[in-house]
Amino acid sequence: MIGQTVSNYRILEKIGEGGMGVVWKAIDTRLDRTVAVKLLTADLQADPEKARQLAHEARAVAALNHPNIVTIHSVEEEFETPFLTMELVRGTDLSHQIPEGGLAPDRMLHLGIQMAEALAAANELGITHRDLKPGNVMLTADGTKLLDFGLARTDLAVEG
Protein backbone atom coordinates (compact mmCIF):
# COMPACT_ATOMS: atom_id res chain seq x y z
CA MET A 1 0.00 0.00 0.00
CA ILE A 2 2.91 2.37 0.71
CA GLY A 3 3.46 4.62 -2.31
CA GLN A 4 0.01 3.91 -3.72
CA THR A 5 -2.60 6.60 -4.20
CA VAL A 6 -6.16 6.45 -2.90
CA SER A 7 -8.16 9.24 -4.52
CA ASN A 8 -5.88 12.25 -4.04
CA TYR A 9 -4.01 10.80 -1.03
CA ARG A 10 -0.52 9.32 -1.51
CA ILE A 11 0.04 6.67 1.18
CA LEU A 12 3.31 7.11 3.11
CA GLU A 13 3.24 4.66 6.00
CA LYS A 14 1.00 2.57 8.22
CA ILE A 15 0.43 4.24 11.58
CA GLY A 16 -2.25 2.13 13.22
CA GLU A 17 -4.64 -0.77 12.98
CA GLY A 18 -7.76 -1.77 14.83
CA GLY A 19 -10.53 -4.30 14.56
CA MET A 20 -12.28 -2.45 11.76
CA GLY A 21 -9.69 -0.37 9.95
CA VAL A 22 -6.12 0.49 9.12
CA VAL A 23 -4.84 4.05 9.48
CA TRP A 24 -2.23 5.38 7.10
CA LYS A 25 -0.17 8.54 7.08
CA ALA A 26 -0.72 10.17 3.69
CA ILE A 27 -0.17 13.33 1.69
CA ASP A 28 -3.26 15.12 0.43
CA THR A 29 -1.93 15.98 -3.03
CA ARG A 30 -4.62 18.62 -3.66
CA LEU A 31 -3.98 20.62 -0.51
CA ASP A 32 -0.35 19.59 0.04
CA ARG A 33 -0.85 18.57 3.66
CA THR A 34 -0.20 15.46 5.70
CA VAL A 35 -3.32 13.64 6.88
CA ALA A 36 -4.41 10.30 8.27
CA VAL A 37 -6.49 8.02 6.04
CA LYS A 38 -8.60 5.29 7.63
CA LEU A 39 -9.52 2.39 5.36
CA LEU A 40 -11.59 -0.62 6.25
CA THR A 41 -9.51 -3.78 6.55
CA ALA A 42 -9.43 -5.81 3.32
CA ASP A 43 -11.81 -8.46 4.68
CA LEU A 44 -14.42 -5.82 5.63
CA GLN A 45 -14.33 -3.64 2.51
CA ALA A 46 -17.16 -5.55 0.81
CA ASP A 47 -19.37 -5.47 3.92
CA PRO A 48 -22.03 -2.74 3.51
CA GLU A 49 -22.66 -2.66 7.26
CA LYS A 50 -19.00 -1.88 7.97
CA ALA A 51 -19.05 0.85 5.31
CA ARG A 52 -22.11 2.29 7.07
CA GLN A 53 -20.25 2.19 10.41
CA LEU A 54 -17.28 4.04 8.93
CA ALA A 55 -19.58 6.77 7.57
CA HIS A 56 -21.34 6.87 10.95
CA GLU A 57 -18.00 7.44 12.69
CA ALA A 58 -17.17 10.26 10.29
CA ARG A 59 -20.52 11.98 10.83
CA ALA A 60 -20.26 11.64 14.60
CA VAL A 61 -16.76 13.06 14.87
CA ALA A 62 -17.35 15.72 12.21
CA ALA A 63 -20.13 17.12 14.41
CA LEU A 64 -17.55 17.78 17.13
CA ASN A 65 -15.26 20.77 17.39
CA HIS A 66 -12.99 20.35 20.39
CA PRO A 67 -9.22 20.67 20.79
CA ASN A 68 -9.04 17.24 22.44
CA ILE A 69 -10.95 15.35 19.71
CA VAL A 70 -9.49 14.37 16.34
CA THR A 71 -10.76 16.47 13.42
CA ILE A 72 -12.41 14.62 10.53
CA HIS A 73 -11.77 16.13 7.09
CA SER A 74 -13.88 13.91 4.83
CA VAL A 75 -15.57 10.60 4.19
CA GLU A 76 -14.93 9.37 0.65
CA GLU A 77 -15.07 6.33 -1.57
CA GLU A 78 -12.87 5.05 -4.35
CA PHE A 79 -13.55 1.89 -6.34
CA GLU A 80 -16.41 1.11 -3.93
CA THR A 81 -13.98 1.26 -1.00
CA PRO A 82 -15.06 3.75 1.68
CA PHE A 83 -12.47 5.65 3.67
CA LEU A 84 -12.21 8.71 5.85
CA THR A 85 -9.56 11.36 6.19
CA MET A 86 -8.67 13.16 9.37
CA GLU A 87 -6.01 15.29 10.92
CA LEU A 88 -2.74 13.51 11.50
CA VAL A 89 -2.28 13.50 15.27
CA ARG A 90 1.39 13.53 16.16
CA GLY A 91 2.25 11.91 19.45
CA THR A 92 2.15 8.61 21.28
CA ASP A 93 -0.91 6.73 22.42
CA LEU A 94 -1.49 6.63 26.15
CA SER A 95 -1.02 2.85 26.32
CA HIS A 96 2.68 3.39 25.58
CA GLN A 97 3.05 6.09 28.25
CA ILE A 98 1.67 4.37 31.33
CA PRO A 99 4.59 3.19 33.47
CA GLU A 100 4.47 0.12 35.65
CA GLY A 101 2.55 1.19 38.73
CA GLY A 102 0.49 3.74 36.80
CA LEU A 103 0.71 7.44 36.11
CA ALA A 104 1.64 9.96 38.78
CA PRO A 105 -1.51 11.46 40.32
CA ASP A 106 -0.84 14.98 39.00
CA ARG A 107 -0.24 13.66 35.46
CA MET A 108 -3.36 11.47 35.62
CA LEU A 109 -5.43 14.43 36.82
CA HIS A 110 -4.11 16.66 34.03
CA LEU A 111 -4.85 14.08 31.31
CA GLY A 112 -8.13 13.04 32.91
CA ILE A 113 -9.48 16.59 32.89
CA GLN A 114 -8.73 16.94 29.18
CA MET A 115 -10.37 13.61 28.38
CA ALA A 116 -13.40 14.45 30.53
CA GLU A 117 -13.82 17.82 28.78
CA ALA A 118 -13.67 16.11 25.37
CA LEU A 119 -16.17 13.45 26.39
CA ALA A 120 -18.47 16.11 27.87
CA ALA A 121 -18.39 18.04 24.57
CA ALA A 122 -19.28 14.84 22.70
CA ASN A 123 -22.02 13.97 25.16
CA GLU A 124 -23.56 17.44 24.80
CA LEU A 125 -24.17 16.53 21.14
CA GLY A 126 -25.52 13.11 22.03
CA ILE A 127 -22.33 11.23 21.11
CA THR A 128 -21.05 8.47 23.37
CA HIS A 129 -17.55 7.19 22.53
CA ARG A 130 -18.03 3.58 23.80
CA ASP A 131 -14.41 2.52 23.16
CA LEU A 132 -12.40 4.77 25.44
CA LYS A 133 -9.12 3.03 26.24
CA PRO A 134 -5.44 4.10 26.41
CA GLY A 135 -4.87 3.06 22.77
CA ASN A 136 -7.54 5.54 21.63
CA VAL A 137 -6.02 8.50 23.48
CA MET A 138 -3.05 10.24 21.86
CA LEU A 139 -0.68 12.32 23.93
CA THR A 140 0.54 15.28 21.91
CA ALA A 141 2.67 18.33 22.62
CA ASP A 142 -0.58 20.19 23.39
CA GLY A 143 -2.27 17.52 25.52
CA THR A 144 -4.62 14.70 24.64
CA LYS A 145 -6.66 13.83 21.55
CA LEU A 146 -9.45 11.27 21.58
CA LEU A 147 -9.45 9.01 18.53
CA ASP A 148 -11.50 6.19 17.03
CA PHE A 149 -15.18 6.91 17.46
CA GLY A 150 -15.98 3.81 15.38
CA LEU A 151 -18.21 2.34 18.07
CA ALA A 152 -19.79 5.67 18.98
CA ARG A 153 -23.49 5.80 19.70
CA THR A 154 -25.25 8.94 18.55
CA ASP A 155 -28.70 10.42 18.81
CA LEU A 156 -30.80 10.75 15.66
CA ALA A 157 -29.85 14.41 15.10
CA VAL A 158 -26.23 13.47 14.38
CA GLU A 159 -26.95 10.28 12.45
CA GLY A 160 -29.05 12.21 9.90
Side-chain angles (χ1 to χ4, degrees):
M1 186 88 197
I2 295 172
Q4 293 182 14
T5 301
V6 177
S7 183
N8 56 290
Y9 305 96
R10 190 174 70 249
I11 304 299
L12 301 176
E13 66 181 280
K14 183 176 174 180
I15 56 175
E17 187 169 0
M20 196 168 107
V22 180
V23 181
W24 302 88
K25 179 179 177 181
I27 295 290
D28 179 337
T29 59
R30 286 188 194 143
L31 298 175
D32 195 27
R33 66 177 173 181
T34 307
V35 298
V37 174
K38 183 175 186 177
L39 294 158
L40 291 175
T41 58
D43 60 322
L44 298 179
Q45 288 178 6
D47 184 341
E49 176 60 22
K50 295 304 179 186
R52 188 198 65 73
Q53 279 184 278
L54 188 70
H56 172 80
E57 174 183 2
R59 281 192 305 274
V61 180
L64 301 170
N65 182 13
H66 193 277
N68 300 109
I69 297 174
V70 66
T71 300
I72 296 292
H73 297 312
S74 67
V75 60
E76 301 182 39
E77 186 175 304
E78 181 165 292
F79 304 115
E80 299 182 22
T81 301
F83 65 95
L84 59 88
T85 65
M86 63 192 114
E87 75 174 296
L88 177 65
V89 180
R90 300 181 193 280
T92 307
D93 74 58
L94 181 57
S95 68
H96 292 100
Q97 295 295 312
I98 301 174
E100 191 172 320
L103 293 169
D106 60 332
R107 178 83 166 135
M108 184 57 180
L109 181 61
H110 176 73
L111 298 176
I113 289 171
Q114 291 180 17
M115 288 185 280
E117 289 173 348
L119 292 169
N123 287 337
E124 284 178 18
L125 293 177
I127 300 168
T128 304
H129 191 286
R130 294 192 338 162
D131 195 22
L132 188 61
K133 59 187 177 189
N136 287 339
V137 178
M138 287 292 283
L139 301 182
T140 71
D142 298 324
T144 64
K145 283 270 189 182
L146 297 186
L147 311 173
D148 199 353
F149 281 72
L151 298 177
R153 183 180 62 79
T154 60
D155 65 18
L156 292 175
V158 174
E159 286 185 36

